[in-house]
Amino acid sequence: MVTLRSPALYVDIGTMSLNSDEVRRIAQLARLAVDDREAEGFAAGLSDIFDFVEALDAAEIGGVEPMAHPLDAEQRLRPDAVTEPDQRELFQAIAPAIDGGLYLVPRVIE
Amino acid sequence: MKLDTLASWARRLRVRDISSRELTEFYLGRIDRLDSQLNSFISVTPDLALAAADAADERLARGEEAPLLGLPVAQKDIFCTQGVRTSCGSKMLDNFIAPYTATVVERMNTAGAVMLGKTNMDEFAMGSSNETSHYGPVRNPWDPERVPGGSSGGSAAAVAARLVPAATGTDTGGSIRQPAAFCGITGVKPTYGRVSRYGMIAFASSLDQAGPMAASAEDCALMLNAMAGFDPRDSTSVERPAEDFTAGLRADLKGLRIGLPREFFGEGLDPGVRAAIEAALAVLRERGAELIEISLPNSGLSVPAYYVVAPAECSSNLARYDGVRFGHRCDEPRDLTDLYTRSRAEGFGAEVKRRIMIGTYVLSAGYYDAYYLKAQKVRRLIADDFRRAFGQVDVIAGPTSPETPFRLGEKSADPVQMYLSDIYTIAVNLAGLPGLSMPAGTVGNLPVGMQLIGNYFDEARLLGVAHQFQQETDWHARMPAPFV
Amino acid sequence: MQWETVIGLEIHTQLNTVSKIFSGAATAYGAEPNRQACAVDLGLPGVLPVLNAAVVEKAVMLGLAIDARIAPRSVFARKNYFYPDLPKGYQISQYELPIVEQGYLDIDLEDGSRKRIGVTRAHLEEDAGKSLHEGFTAMTGIDLNRAGTPLVEIVSEPDMRSAKEAVAYMKKLHALVRYLGISDGNMQEGSFRCDANVSVRPRGRTEFGTRAEIKNLNSFRFVERAINFEVERQIDLIESGGTVVQETRLYDPDRDETRSMRSKEEANDYRYFPDPDLLPVVIHAEDIEAARRRLPELPDAKRERFISAYGLSAYDAGSLTASRELADYFEAVAAGCNAPKLAANWVMGDFSAALNRSEAGLAQSPVSAEALAQLLSRIQDETISGKIAKEVFDAMWSGEGEADAIIEARGLKQITDTAAIDAIIDEVIAANPSQLEQYRSGKDKLFGFFVGQVMKKTRGQANPAQVNERLRARLQGD
């Protein structure tokens, strides 16, 4: 198979490594349950990807405006009018747990 | 009944040479008989299809005209279809019966299309091989040991095997063009904003764009006529007068300036693919096009930039899958955190989790500037490269993928190698430009796709170039032997 | 040690649009759970937000009213966190580029001076839903009707130095949003809510102390109490050798205390980034001019006008302009009776007192401005005296009809006929010969006795000035 790492385009500039504690912190932020084995797997896999992504450091970005959208357009505005009917029964037909029109979750302690 | 193209079926339906019901039954029969070899459909909806076909026949009988009236199509399972499971290739949405219909599907329904079912795809459109689907991988009709590409692999395989004459796809980093190339069909990723994203399950909102996949450029043009158009429900939908994408099909190639980016023909390009592309370019030159070498100096940064921007958006877009209002919910959650973490861990597959993790990381405190902001700046550099190039040329051409379809499992263990499969397509999404892939030759038995990139809103020109090429060649008409 | 309190407020105001900020669902308060939560509000897969034009207009009006900079380009960002009342797992808000920046509000202090409070920014965002715990044992119910209701969050500079100043600022802002007609300001329904950032520092020091953020303040009274409690707590803590930690605290009105919400604190990392589903909000100069033309007269300007046009005192003008409704009511009364000072006295006096007693809002007042004006006109044209007018007003308040009808029915019309008054005076003098003698021999104080007797005989309806004049003449034997 062909190798796709062109030296000109993907200069290895240092190795980035993520430990499994960091992985667990990220998983917690993302609300993903990971066990120890998975955490290690992610640590290795993500490190490779971040290594690769570090190619961005080679870019000359001084004075460049970040680009959040492909098109240079402005937000369109919608008239203030009620256009959505009540469809609670339709929407709650696919809900995992409801009672009296409310969505149920395990008790939230405040 | 003999196989035919979408455009040809449309003509035959109009003259009542065939009914929509007959046509629908014909393709449903093919799916029934042949899809076990491919796994290209997640859901087949024969009852809905036949009802839609009968309705189309009535409209045809009344002499009504509509762009896709009576024509069978398939929808990628990323588009919400009211009353039909919309899984997005994920266990998370295995039980999700969409309570509303995506704008694209609605437009196609209004245009008279007959939906046969929902096609398989990489989970949440994250993948380049269709191996991340909860419903199992799709096989490439040209070689069942090889992948069809992704994420719109089900649509590509189904069209290549003529289980359906046309299908929809979505393209965030190459998900229409790469599978189109791998399966030997034509696929168009329109300009960002051309096709509504409403009801299309989001992966990376600033990159996602839906488009047609069919056997030929002409068929894609017909599809795009129905799919494209302003939608007030999508803030990023572009308000432009309706366009007839079939109008430019017969445009002459004489004097057309085609730019060949040096970077797309460099190291990493499979020699067989290069040879096929060069031969295809020669055909275009013979038809009067001028080939000009150009440079897109930052295109090499497109994959790294993409793998920051797309996961960042995905990590946020996929936060709504929390087991509360719809979708997978774990059994007997102990508390709220358990509900979230377990529902999500059970509902998402490995690649989706990986991307959520990447995205969460690059947006987290202390890393935003180093990753996300930098990637957005690189994104502008990439878009500026194209802007300069289109000052010089009318279209840009090159290979769609650096290689022919790889074997199932071949890249599963190495995400970076998998990501590099989209090295020529990703820059187009970052810039928001239209791109097309068309069959341009083979290496052995495997199809090779040529990518055409146009300036913003220049889809008609891309379709014209492809159509002219397809007048000279028959790559697009070839079919994998077991499905003939 | 002398301590100084430093307070900054973040006020969330619901904008009074009929539909939500990013969807066409209704915003009306009090619907059955989840009946006003559409696909967009529920965060169903594939749905997209589209911005409500009225929300932008209202934010621009607010910006103009506080003399702020209106951003020509503002950006919506996603604030990412998981919570059951937040359906998408992120709140659409504004972060780096808010729509309004750098304004101010002048507040009146108790000593009569004014103080300028800086407004750092005001940004648009969507509200979350509600978590309901009652009626469930191990579960919480989620109602998403409120999800997507438009909010403007108004963030002040840490310019306030006491709970009283904080309340004055909050009241001023409350009056302003209602003047502008951009919010109903209903605090019971949560349309106007406040978080207070409170810290203390030794007087004279310039750097700030560590602050605590107090949440859940939905009344002026709670704001004052919570801040006072928190200030005491921080001072006690520091003076007993402790240190204040930066944290979120919840005010509990039942116990009148603030307590730590550490459970919510765990590693907040909101991962803000520009929302790719929304484009930058561009506000053109002509949009700003259009909003400026729609601005009503603002409280400070109205107050100045009341002073100069009606000759009211600064205090009266301030009281009457505290709310737009009251100011409008006063102006209608003043115009109707053509006696602004009399109108001011009545509106702030008997009218406000009756309103307070009834606990009704001004809109439900049984006495309209026109009706009150008619009553005051009868004082002006001497049909009745001010004292009788109070009786008439009470009758009007209890629904007995208009002033003229009540005066007529009860026979309260003032007696101004000189001959009739003279006749009554003569009767009184004739009936009290000894008092007359004493008066004439120099006991001036008895003049009051005669006035009282005349008024008694006329049941208070004789014109007091005329009675005085005629009586004096008669007693002197003219």
Side-chain angles (χ1 to χ4, degrees):
Chain A
M1 257 296 135
V2 291
T3 162
L4 294 169
R5 280 185 190 259
S6 150
L9 295 181
Y10 302 114
V11 192
D12 236 359
I13 33 174
T15 306
M16 149 96 205
S17 78
L18 216 60
N19 62 39
S20 44
D21 282 348
E22 276 177 291
V23 166
R24 263 185 285 267
R25 181 180 71 84
I26 300 300
Q28 168 57 21
L29 267 180
R31 297 294 187 277
L32 288 170
V34 291
D35 58 29
D36 290 350
R37 195 179 48 83
E38 283 174 307
E40 273 170 38
F42 272 130
L46 295 182
S47 296
D48 276 359
I49 293 163
F50 287 117
D51 248 5
F52 168 71
V53 161
E54 278 182 15
L56 293 176
D57 291 347
E60 307 252 343
I61 51 169
V64 177
E65 272 290 297
M67 177 171 160
H69 277 287
L71 301 176
D72 187 22
E74 60 187 71
Q75 178 61 37
R76 186 161 22 80
L77 302 176
R78 169 180 70 77
D80 180 25
V82 176
T83 53
E84 296 293 326
D86 168 26
Q87 297 189 88
R88 188 176 84 177
E89 281 67 28
L90 177 67
F91 295 143
Q92 295 196 339
I94 51 168
I98 47 160
D99 187 1
L102 298 164
Y103 294 97
L104 294 185
V105 297
R107 191 164 187 86
V108 179
I109 309 127
E110 289 199 331
Chain B
M1 203 184 300
K2 273 190 66 187
L3 287 164
D4 214 334
T5 66
L6 193 74
S8 178
W9 287 128
R11 284 186 284 273
R12 291 171 61 182
L13 283 166
R14 262 198 299 278
V15 299
R16 315 294 291 139
D17 174 41
I18 188 171
S19 72
S20 177
R21 177 169 261 270
E22 288 167 315
L23 192 57
T24 301
E25 282 173 342
F26 170 66
Y27 279 107
L28 284 172
R30 285 186 65 83
I31 295 171
D32 196 36
R33 215 167 56 247
L34 300 168
D35 195 41
S36 56
Q37 298 172 48
L38 298 176
N39 192 29
S40 66
F41 279 83
I42 290 175
S43 305
V44 183
T45 52
D47 295 348
L48 287 175
L50 292 171
D54 290 344
D57 281 329
E58 281 175 34
R59 289 175 69 184
L60 284 160
R62 287 197 297 268
E64 272 185 50
E65 298 249 349
L68 300 177
L69 194 50
L71 293 168
V73 297
Q75 298 288 357
K76 185 176 180 178
D77 207 20
I78 199 169
F79 293 101
C80 285
T81 43
Q82 185 163 0
V84 177
R85 174 175 60 185
T86 301
S87 75
C88 218
S90 181
K91 181 182 174 187
M92 182 61 86
L93 292 178
D94 183 51
N95 61 1
F96 181 66
I97 310 292
Y100 72 102
T101 297
T103 299
V104 166
V105 176
E106 221 161 65
R107 291 184 66 95
M108 290 176 66
N109 289 346
T110 306
V114 173
M115 182 180 90
L116 303 186
K118 312 282 300 279
T119 57
N120 204 344
M121 55 183 285
D122 278 300
E123 185 181 8
F124 282 101
M126 297 175 202
S128 306
S129 68
N130 224 298
E131 293 167 293
T132 72
S133 171
H134 171 62
Y135 301 90
V138 177
R139 293 175 184 273
N140 191 314
W142 296 91
D143 179 349
E145 296 309 308
R146 292 178 188 270
V147 303
S151 65
S152 312
S155 287
V159 170
R162 307 297 191 262
L163 304 189
V164 66
T168 54
T170 62
D171 190 317
T172 305
S175 281
I176 287 175
R177 291 159 289 159
Q178 184 253 25
F182 277 16
C183 292
I185 65 164
T186 306
V188 180
K189 180 213 103 70
T191 308
Y192 183 86
R194 184 70 105 162
V195 177
S196 169
R197 294 188 297 113
Y198 192 85
M200 178 179 122
I201 297 177
F203 158 18
S205 311
S206 77
L207 301 161
D208 296 342
Q209 185 63 201
M213 304 176 82
S216 68
E218 186 183 18
D219 289 358
C220 283
L222 271 181
M223 285 277 283
L224 192 55
N225 275 353
M227 294 174 74
F230 172 66
D231 181 5
R233 291 189 294 187
D234 174 1
S235 293
T236 62
S237 170
V238 178
E239 238 171 322
R240 287 172 75 88
E243 207 171 314
D244 179 2
F245 295 101
T246 62
L249 292 177
R250 265 152 278 283
D252 200 339
L253 298 187
K254 209 157 275 151
L256 182 82
R257 298 168 302 167
I258 299 179
L260 307 179
R262 197 174 300 138
E263 295 79 5
F264 286 12
F265 292 87
E267 191 180 338
L269 177 60
D270 176 86
V273 172
R274 175 199 293 271
I277 296 298
E278 282 172 353
L281 288 168
V283 172
L284 294 174
R285 187 169 47 210
E286 278 161 28
R287 292 288 302 248
E290 185 188 348
L291 303 182
I292 301 163
E293 187 180 294
I294 59 165
S295 176
L296 300 170
N298 294 290
S299 59
L301 294 171
S302 63
V303 182
Y306 177 88
Y307 277 95
V308 172
V309 172
E313 294 184 11
C314 127
S315 70
S316 177
N317 282 336
L318 270 60
R320 68 189 60 200
Y321 305 100
D322 59 5
V324 177
R325 296 164 316 286
F326 52 82
H328 178 74
R329 179 181 179 114
C330 66
D331 284 333
E332 294 177 24
R334 284 190 310 277
D335 53 29
L336 185 66
T337 303
D338 188 44
L339 168 70
Y340 285 154
T341 58
R342 208 145 50 83
S343 297
R344 290 165 62 77
E346 291 170 3
F348 292 139
E351 181 61 26
V352 170
K353 286 184 204 171
R354 182 165 22 237
R355 298 207 194 181
I356 290 175
M357 295 284 286
I358 298 169
T360 304
Y361 184 78
V362 298
L363 290 175
S364 67
Y367 298 101
Y368 181 87
D369 287 5
Y371 289 107
Y372 188 75
L373 202 63
K374 195 177 287 171
Q376 283 209 329
K377 290 179 176 180
V378 169
R379 186 173 183 181
R380 185 167 303 279
L381 294 180
I382 289 164
D384 287 346
D385 281 357
F386 280 112
R387 211 174 299 274
R388 271 190 294 276
F390 283 115
Q392 262 181 285
V393 299
D394 304 309
V395 297
I396 292 169
T400 303
S401 166
E403 59 197 332
T404 50
F406 45 89
R407 290 177 190 282
L408 283 158
E410 187 180 321
K411 299 191 182 200
S412 306
D414 188 346
V416 171
Q417 283 304 303
M418 183 74 88
Y419 297 168
L420 286 168
S421 177
D422 292 326
I423 189 165
Y424 302 139
T425 48
I426 272 177
V428 174
N429 298 78
L430 289 169
L433 293 164
L436 174 152
S437 180
M438 60 177 178
T442 54
V443 176
N445 181 43
L446 297 171
V448 170
M450 178 153 91
Q451 178 176 224
L452 300 173
I453 303 166
N455 209 339
Y456 296 100
F457 303 105
D458 219 1
E459 292 86 351
R461 195 200 299 260
L462 297 184
L463 287 161
V465 176
H467 182 72
Q468 291 305 305
F469 180 78
Q470 290 173 349
Q471 299 307 296
E472 293 292 311
T473 60
D474 72 344
W475 303 111
H476 65 290
R478 297 192 189 185
M479 274 187 61
F483 300 92
V484 176
Chain C
M1 192 181 297
Q2 286 281 321
W3 295 96
E4 182 177 51
T5 305
V6 176
I7 303 160
L9 298 184
E10 292 169 14
I11 292 177
H12 289 86
T13 307
Q14 252 179 36
L15 297 174
N16 56 351
T17 53
V18 298
S19 68
K20 293 189 177 172
I21 180 168
F22 297 120
S23 83
T27 54
Y29 183 81
E32 271 185 54
N34 292 308
R35 293 228 175 267
Q36 288 176 174
C38 72
V40 172
D41 308 324
L42 294 175
L44 290 184
V47 299
L48 296 169
V50 184
L51 183 60
N52 184 336
V55 168
V56 176
E57 281 168 26
K58 287 169 197 278
V60 171
M61 284 171 73
L62 173 72
L64 292 173
I66 59 171
D67 209 5
R69 182 178 105 83
I70 310 296
R73 189 173 166 280
S74 63
V75 169
F76 281 101
R78 293 184 182 177
K79 179 182 184 179
N80 295 283
Y81 65 97
F82 285 87
Y83 207 67
D85 65 12
L86 190 71
K88 300 185 295 297
Y90 57 84
Q91 179 194 29
I92 305 177
S93 182
Q94 294 189 310
Y95 186 54
E96 282 181 343
L97 296 170
I99 190 161
V100 168
E101 283 179 296
Q102 292 158 9
Y104 62 83
L105 214 53
D106 289 332
I107 59 170
D108 294 298
L109 303 182
E110 278 180 332
D111 64 5
S113 65
R114 301 207 110 188
K115 179 171 176 176
R116 180 155 292 187
I117 307 298
V119 173
T120 318
R121 56 186 275 157
H123 66 254
L124 292 169
E125 61 186 27
E126 56 180 347
D127 208 343
K130 281 181 183 166
S131 302
L132 304 163
H133 310 290
E134 277 167 42
F136 302 105
T137 46
M139 305 298 268
T140 292
I142 307 297
D143 175 10
L144 296 170
N145 280 347
R146 199 179 64 181
T149 299
L151 294 178
V152 59
E153 178 176 339
I154 304 155
V155 182
S156 84
E157 292 288 321
D159 285 349
M160 287 153 277
R161 293 291 172 269
S162 70
K164 281 208 167 11
E165 287 184 17
V167 171
Y169 166 81
M170 194 174 165
K171 282 188 170 164
K172 187 80 183 251
L173 192 58
H174 186 250
L176 182 66
V177 297
R178 287 159 53 97
Y179 259 85
L180 293 170
I182 62 173
S183 173
D184 64 18
N186 189 321
M187 295 170 83
Q188 283 81 44
E189 293 175 7
S191 301
F192 195 81
R193 330 194 275 270
C194 177
D195 299 339
N197 287 301
V198 179
S199 65
V200 297
R201 63 182 171 192
R203 197 168 292 282
R205 187 173 290 178
T206 47
E207 58 270 34
F208 294 123
T210 305
R211 68 170 197 263
E213 184 182 8
I214 316 170
K215 297 232 176 233
N216 194 31
L217 301 171
N218 61 356
S219 84
F220 299 123
R221 205 158 44 108
F222 291 170
V223 168
E224 184 161 357
R225 283 198 192 168
I227 290 172
N228 284 333
F229 174 88
E230 182 60 21
V231 168
E232 286 302 308
R233 187 190 72 85
Q234 292 186 11
I235 292 172
D236 287 351
L237 189 64
I238 298 167
E239 287 185 341
S240 61
T243 48
V244 176
V245 289
Q246 186 163 341
E247 62 178 350
T248 304
R249 298 181 71 84
L250 190 71
Y251 177 66
D252 180 344
D254 297 331
R255 296 184 180 183
D256 190 22
E257 63 176 27
T258 67
R259 60 169 185 270
S260 181
M261 292 174 73
R262 283 210 189 84
S263 59
K264 267 200 157 182
E265 285 293 286
E266 48 113 354
N268 276 338
D269 184 345
Y270 292 126
R271 290 159 284 137
Y272 281 100
F273 75 106
D275 190 330
D277 287 331
L278 290 159
L279 297 164
V281 179
V282 175
I283 295 172
H284 305 275
E286 54 269 30
D287 303 329
I288 295 176
E289 286 322 303
R292 201 187 298 280
R293 281 193 295 275
R294 279 197 304 277
L295 282 185
E297 184 182 32
L298 297 176
D300 286 350
K302 201 181 279 285
R303 183 173 149 221
E304 291 313 309
R305 182 167 61 81
F306 279 16
I307 294 169
S308 60
Y310 298 126
L312 302 183
S313 71
Y315 178 82
D316 289 358
S319 304
L320 288 170
T321 54
S323 91
R324 185 175 169 182
E325 285 167 292
L326 190 67
D328 289 349
Y329 187 91
F330 158 73
E331 288 211 88
V333 176
C337 70
N338 208 13
K341 281 188 182 167
L342 183 65
N345 288 338
W346 271 82
V347 170
M348 288 188 300
D350 293 77
F351 178 75
S352 290
L355 207 56
N356 285 341
R357 275 196 303 277
S358 75
E359 290 178 2
L362 206 154
Q364 291 89 48
S365 160
V367 176
S368 69
E370 293 67 34
L372 183 58
Q374 187 189 69
L375 174 67
L376 302 190
S377 299
R378 294 296 88 85
I379 300 175
Q380 280 293 101
D381 65 15
E382 303 193 333
T383 305
I384 53 172
S385 66
K387 202 170 162 213
I388 292 291
K390 288 178 195 291
E391 182 189 335
V392 178
F393 177 79
D394 289 342
M396 289 164 70
W397 192 269
S398 42
E400 286 179 36
E402 294 201 336
D404 285 347
I406 293 166
I407 292 166
E408 186 63 39
R410 295 195 176 186
L412 298 174
K413 202 166 177 188
Q414 197 160 249
I415 301 164
T416 50
D417 174 0
T418 311
I421 289 174
D422 281 354
I424 292 162
I425 288 172
D426 288 347
E427 271 177 51
V428 168
I429 289 172
N432 297 286
S434 66
Q435 282 85 348
L436 178 68
E437 199 166 319
Q438 287 175 50
Y439 177 81
R440 284 194 172 154
S441 61
K443 209 167 178 188
D444 288 353
K445 275 192 215 154
L446 278 170
F447 185 72
F449 164 79
F450 286 105
V451 172
Q453 291 299 308
V454 173
M455 294 311 278
K456 198 173 163 190
K457 266 199 167 325
T458 61
R459 299 201 320 277
Q461 283 163 260
N463 180 305
Q466 256 179 310
V467 170
N468 282 354
E469 187 205 322
R470 299 304 302 168
L471 188 62
R472 208 173 291 280
R474 286 306 230 223
L475 289 172
Q476 279 157 16
D478 296 346

